[in-house]
Amino acid sequence: MAIGCVKLGLVPLLRDRCRRFQMTSSSRLPSPVSASDQLGFASIDAVTAALASAGYISTPSISTALYLAHHLRKPVLVEGPAGVGKTDMAVCIARALSYPLLRLQCYEGLDESKALYEWQYGKQLLYTQVLKDKINHLIGDADSIEASLGKLAGFRDLFFSREFLAPRPVLKAMEQEGGSVLLIDEIDKSDEAFEALLLEVLADALKRSCLHLHVGFPDADREQQIVRARVPDIAQSLLKQMVDFVQSLREQDIRKLPSISETVDWARTLLLMHAEALDPALVRSTLSVLLKRQTDVISLDGKLDSLTHAAVTGPGAAS
């Protein structure tokens, strides 16, 4: 089975998929899901616990969507702003289920040679040269063109067999015997021809209605849990202050909102600087960890003192 998430796209479940895609007997599809595979996702609570063990702090809506996707064998369409942890979700799902993660990054001009497979032309040419060098031995005593072609017939399909393919993410996911997580990222950036290719190759999966999941920025409590899971040594008082500050930044009129990963990076930064509490000077000196656009830094300069004061003196800040 494969479960995944995208910034705006489809993540198909690949077990029992793509039966129309046939090349050679060595191109096998994963076997049906086993009871041991389902153990980690046996219930919604189990999904939450499995993801937590892999480092992802889930929500009831996320765990429910993943539980249903796993057991109903449905694709998942995951949407949300940049930086809310959609890619990290796929990574942690794979880790929780002990599945390999295959990622396909979409972009304009993406085609099947980068998504599905590519013929290894150099290897084909090399084998052609070997066949050419052995042609007299192979033909032997054939006394006509028809007889010669008959003796070479067995090599006709050799050059277009699995041995000469370089698999790309979609094919690699299809070939995983135990299941996989396929992350198709930003499918909205691909063109119509590529979307048509996915519809053809993944026909069975995409004919089924997708489960839709919207992932937004976490509330303060969940963001504290996320940071605590990644930076366990941070003091609770500083943790609350910094998360409250980040939450207030996301309410400002700026172009690039701080992502969850940037919040985690800021927590690590504050630890390295031996900070015990936020103050305006500390915030200004480390703000580049949170804000990546200079225009945002400049636009917030006059508000930093008040935002910092609110984060430090807010309800429960001293707990």
Side-chain angles (χ1 to χ4, degrees), residues 206-273:
L206 300 185
K207 283 177 183 176
R208 305 185 181 194
S209 59
C210 298
L211 295 175
H212 183 270
L213 176 62
H214 183 273
V215 180
F217 284 107
D219 59 24
D221 288 342
R222 180 170 174 244
E223 190 155 23
Q224 285 188 44
Q225 294 179 53
I226 294 170
V227 175
R228 173 68 66 194
R230 303 299 174 89
V231 192
D233 294 334
I234 190 169
Q236 179 59 35
S237 58
L238 179 60
L239 173 61
K240 186 179 189 312
Q241 289 176 23
M242 60 160 292
V243 167
D244 286 351
F245 180 82
V246 171
Q247 294 271 322
S248 67
L249 281 186
R250 296 193 185 119
E251 296 174 356
Q252 306 304 310
D253 184 19
I254 56 178
R255 293 185 61 187
K256 172 68 171 62
L257 301 180
S259 67
I260 297 173
S261 64
E262 286 162 347
T263 306
V264 173
D265 286 343
W266 196 38
R268 291 173 176 146
T269 298
L270 296 177
L271 272 185
L272 286 172
M273 299 186 71

Side-chain angles (χ1 to χ4, degrees), residues 141-219:
D141 57 356
D143 56 2
S144 67
I145 294 178
E146 291 78 7
S148 298
L149 291 176
K151 290 197 173 188
L152 294 174
F155 299 93
R156 190 169 299 165
D157 297 327
L158 172 65
F159 299 100
F160 295 96
S161 62
R162 178 64 179 81
E163 185 178 356
F164 291 90
L165 279 185
R168 301 307 183 202
V170 175
L171 180 55
K172 286 181 179 179
M174 291 161 56
E175 292 185 324
Q176 299 300 315
E177 298 241 355
S180 65
V181 175
L182 173 62
L183 170 63
I184 304 178
D185 208 351
E186 297 184 308
I187 196 172
D188 55 316
K189 292 186 177 180
S190 62
D191 51 34
E192 291 183 2
F194 178 72
E195 292 180 15
L197 171 68
L198 283 183
L199 285 170
E200 175 68 19
V201 174
L202 306 174
D204 289 341
L206 300 185
K207 283 177 183 176
R208 305 185 181 194
S209 59
C210 298
L211 295 175
H212 183 270
L213 176 62
H214 183 273
V215 180
F217 284 107
D219 59 24

Side-chain angles (χ1 to χ4, degrees), residues 19-136:
R19 295 191 182 278
R20 295 173 60 190
F21 184 80
Q22 296 179 351
M23 296 181 341
T24 70
S25 59
S26 63
S27 181
R28 294 171 293 181
L29 293 171
S31 57
V33 66
S34 67
S36 60
D37 286 332
Q38 306 225 22
L39 192 59
F41 280 9
S43 67
I44 295 173
D45 288 342
V47 173
T48 301
L51 291 177
S53 69
Y56 185 86
I57 306 302
S58 187
T59 66
S61 61
I62 291 174
S63 295
T64 299
L66 297 180
Y67 172 79
L68 294 175
H70 185 63
H71 292 278
L72 297 180
R73 330 306 292 169
K74 284 181 175 287
V76 185
L77 173 64
V78 184
E79 298 177 290
V84 297
K86 297 181 294 296
T87 299
D88 191 48
M89 182 196 303
V91 171
C92 291
I93 291 168
R95 189 180 301 151
L97 293 172
S98 298
Y99 285 175
L101 172 67
L102 287 308
R103 178 175 181 174
L104 175 63
Q105 179 66 47
C106 295
Y107 54 87
E108 187 176 354
L110 179 65
D111 59 19
E112 65 181 47
S113 67
K114 297 295 186 292
L116 189 58
Y117 65 84
E118 184 174 17
W119 292 110
Q120 300 185 72
Y121 297 112
K123 189 174 181 181
Q124 288 173 322
L125 289 173
L126 177 62
Y127 273 57
T128 300
Q129 185 62 46
V130 171
L131 183 59
K132 179 181 177 181
D133 293 341
K134 300 292 184 180
I135 192 72
N136 290 331

